[in-house]
Coordinates of all heavy atoms in Angstrom, one line a residue:
S351 N -1.4 13.1 -13.4 CA -2.0 14.3 -12.7 C -3.4 14.2 -12.3 O -3.8 14.5 -11.3 CB -1.9 15.4 -13.9 OG -0.6 15.7 -14.1
A352 N -4.1 13.3 -13.2 CA -5.6 13.0 -12.7 C -5.6 12.3 -11.5 O -6.5 12.6 -10.5 CB -6.3 12.3 -13.8
T353 N -4.6 11.3 -11.4 CA -4.6 10.5 -10.1 C -4.3 11.3 -8.9 O -4.9 11.1 -7.9 CB -3.7 9.3 -10.4 OG1 -4.0 8.5 -11.4 CG2 -3.6 8.6 -9.1
A354 N -3.4 12.3 -9.1 CA -3.0 13.1 -8.0 C -4.0 14.0 -7.5 O -4.3 14.0 -6.3 CB -1.6 14.0 -8.4
M355 N -4.7 14.6 -8.5 CA -5.9 15.5 -8.1 C -7.0 14.7 -7.4 O -7.5 15.1 -6.4 CB -6.2 16.3 -9.2 CG -5.1 17.5 -9.6 SD -5.9 18.6 -10.8 CE -5.9 17.5 -12.4
A356 N -7.2 13.7 -8.0 CA -8.4 12.9 -7.5 C -8.0 12.2 -6.1 O -8.9 12.4 -5.4 CB -8.7 11.8 -8.4
S357 N -6.8 11.9 -5.9 CA -6.5 11.4 -4.5 C -6.3 12.5 -3.5 O -6.9 12.4 -2.5 CB -5.2 10.5 -4.7 OG -4.1 11.5 -5.1
A358 N -6.0 13.7 -3.9 CA -5.9 14.8 -3.1 C -7.4 15.2 -2.6 O -7.7 15.4 -1.4 CB -5.2 16.0 -3.6
W359 N -8.4 15.1 -3.7 CA -9.7 15.6 -3.2 C -10.3 14.5 -2.4 O -11.1 14.7 -1.5 CB -10.5 15.7 -4.6 CG -11.9 16.3 -4.3 CD1 -13.0 15.6 -4.3 CD2 -12.1 17.7 -4.2 NE1 -14.0 16.6 -4.0 CE2 -13.5 17.8 -4.0 CE3 -11.3 18.8 -4.3 CZ2 -14.1 19.1 -3.8 CZ3 -12.0 20.1 -4.1 CH2 -13.3 20.2 -3.9
A360 N -10.1 13.2 -2.8 CA -10.6 12.1 -1.8 C -10.1 12.0 -0.5 O -10.7 11.9 0.5 CB -10.3 10.7 -2.6
M361 N -8.7 12.4 -0.3 CA -8.3 12.4 1.0 C -8.8 13.6 1.8 O -9.1 13.5 2.9 CB -6.7 12.6 0.9 CG -5.9 12.7 2.3 SD -4.2 12.7 2.1 CE -3.8 14.0 1.0
A362 N -9.0 14.8 1.1 CA -9.6 15.9 1.7 C -11.0 15.7 2.2 O -11.4 16.1 3.3 CB -9.6 17.2 0.9
S363 N -11.7 14.9 1.4 CA -13.1 14.7 1.6 C -13.0 13.8 2.8 O -14.1 13.8 3.6 CB -13.8 13.9 0.4 OG -13.8 15.0 -0.7
A364 N -12.3 12.7 2.8 CA -12.3 11.7 3.9 C -12.0 12.3 5.1 O -12.5 11.9 6.3 CB -11.3 10.7 3.5
L365 N -11.1 13.3 5.2 CA -10.8 14.1 6.4 C -11.7 15.1 7.0 O -11.6 15.8 7.9 CB -9.3 14.7 6.3 CG -8.2 13.6 6.1 CD1 -6.9 14.3 5.9 CD2 -8.0 12.7 7.3
G366 N -12.8 15.4 6.0 CA -13.7 16.5 6.4 C -13.2 17.8 6.3 O -13.6 18.6 7.0
L367 N -12.2 18.1 5.4 CA -11.6 19.4 5.3 C -12.4 20.5 4.7 O -13.4 20.1 3.9 CB -10.3 19.4 4.6 CG -9.1 18.4 5.1 CD1 -7.9 18.5 4.2 CD2 -8.8 18.8 6.4
S368 N -12.4 21.7 5.0 CA -13.2 22.6 4.5 C -13.0 22.9 3.0 O -12.0 22.4 2.6 CB -13.1 24.0 5.4 OG -11.7 24.5 5.1
G369 N -13.7 23.8 2.5 CA -13.5 24.1 1.1 C -12.3 24.7 0.7 O -11.6 24.4 -0.2
A370 N -11.8 25.7 1.4 CA -10.6 26.4 1.3 C -9.4 25.4 1.3 O -8.4 25.5 0.6 CB -10.4 27.6 2.2
L371 N -9.5 24.6 2.3 CA -8.4 23.7 2.6 C -8.3 22.6 1.5 O -7.2 22.2 0.9 CB -8.5 23.0 4.0 CG -8.2 23.7 5.1 CD1 -8.5 22.8 6.4 CD2 -6.7 24.1 5.1
R372 N -9.5 22.1 1.0 CA -9.5 21.3 -0.1 C -8.9 21.9 -1.5 O -8.1 21.2 -2.1 CB -10.8 20.8 -0.5 CG -11.6 20.1 0.5 CD -13.0 19.5 0.0 NE -13.7 19.0 1.1 CZ -14.8 18.2 0.9 NH1 -15.3 18.0 -0.3 NH2 -15.5 17.9 2.0
L373 N -9.3 23.1 -1.6 CA -8.6 23.8 -2.8 C -7.2 24.0 -2.7 O -6.5 24.1 -3.8 CB -9.4 25.1 -3.1 CG -10.9 24.9 -3.5 CD1 -11.6 26.1 -3.5 CD2 -11.1 24.2 -4.9
S374 N -6.7 24.2 -1.4 CA -5.3 24.4 -1.2 C -4.6 23.1 -1.4 O -3.3 23.1 -1.9 CB -5.1 25.0 0.3 OG -5.7 26.2 0.5
L375 N -5.2 22.0 -1.1 CA -4.5 20.7 -1.1 C -4.5 20.3 -2.6 O -3.7 19.5 -3.2 CB -5.3 19.7 -0.4 CG -4.7 18.2 -0.3 CD1 -3.3 18.3 0.4 CD2 -5.7 17.4 0.4
L376 N -5.5 20.7 -3.5 CA -5.6 20.2 -4.9 C -4.4 20.2 -5.7 O -4.0 19.5 -6.4 CB -6.9 20.8 -5.6 CG -7.4 20.3 -6.9 CD1 -8.0 18.9 -6.5 CD2 -8.5 21.2 -7.4
P377 N -3.6 21.5 -5.8 CA -2.5 21.5 -6.5 C -1.2 21.0 -5.9 O -0.1 21.4 -6.4 CB -2.4 23.0 -6.9 CG -3.4 23.7 -6.0 CD -3.9 22.8 -5.1
R378 N -1.3 20.1 -5.0 CA 0.0 19.6 -4.2 C 0.9 18.9 -5.1 O 2.1 19.0 -4.9 CB -0.5 18.8 -3.2 CG -1.0 17.5 -3.7 CD -1.4 16.6 -2.5 NE -2.1 15.3 -3.1 CZ -1.5 14.3 -3.4 NH1 -0.2 14.3 -3.3 NH2 -2.1 13.3 -3.9
S379 N 0.6 18.4 -6.3 CA 1.4 17.6 -7.0 C 2.0 18.3 -8.1 O 2.2 17.8 -9.4 CB 0.7 16.3 -7.5 OG 0.4 15.5 -6.4
M380 N 2.3 19.7 -8.1 CA 3.1 20.4 -9.2 C 4.1 21.2 -8.4 O 4.1 21.3 -7.2 CB 2.1 21.1 -10.0 CG 1.4 22.2 -9.2 SD 0.2 23.2 -10.3 CE -1.3 22.1 -10.3
S381 N 5.1 21.7 -9.3 CA 6.2 22.5 -8.6 C 5.5 23.8 -8.0 O 4.4 24.3 -8.3 CB 7.2 22.9 -9.6 OG 6.6 23.5 -10.6
T382 N 6.3 24.3 -6.9 CA 5.7 25.4 -6.2 C 5.2 26.6 -6.9 O 4.2 27.2 -6.6 CB 6.8 25.9 -5.1 OG1 7.2 24.6 -4.5 CG2 6.3 26.8 -4.2
P383 N 6.0 27.2 -7.9 CA 5.4 28.3 -8.6 C 4.0 28.0 -9.3 O 3.2 28.9 -9.2 CB 6.6 28.6 -9.7 CG 7.7 27.8 -9.2 CD 7.4 26.8 -8.4
F384 N 4.0 27.0 -9.9 CA 2.6 26.6 -10.5 C 1.6 26.4 -9.5 O 0.5 26.8 -9.6 CB 2.8 25.3 -11.3 CG 3.6 25.4 -12.5 CD1 4.8 24.7 -12.7 CD2 3.3 26.2 -13.6 CE1 5.6 24.7 -13.9 CE2 4.0 26.3 -14.7 CZ 5.1 25.6 -14.9
A385 N 1.9 25.7 -8.4 CA 0.9 25.3 -7.4 C 0.3 26.6 -6.6 O -0.8 26.7 -6.4 CB 1.6 24.4 -6.4

């Protein structure tokens, strides 16, 4: 879980995504209801 969230944040930062997009990407590695 730590690796998934860290990699999502790093990818969003590398792509220069906005804050809202970064936060939308952060929960990508859990099942849809939780995410």
Side-chain angles (χ1 to χ4, degrees):
S351 296
T353 301
M355 288 190 289
S357 62
W359 191 264
M361 180 171 58
S363 299
L365 295 175
L367 300 183
S368 66
L371 283 175
R372 292 188 191 192
L373 294 174
S374 300
L375 185 62
L376 195 62
R378 67 181 175 84
S379 291
M380 62 183 87
S381 59
T382 305
F384 292 116

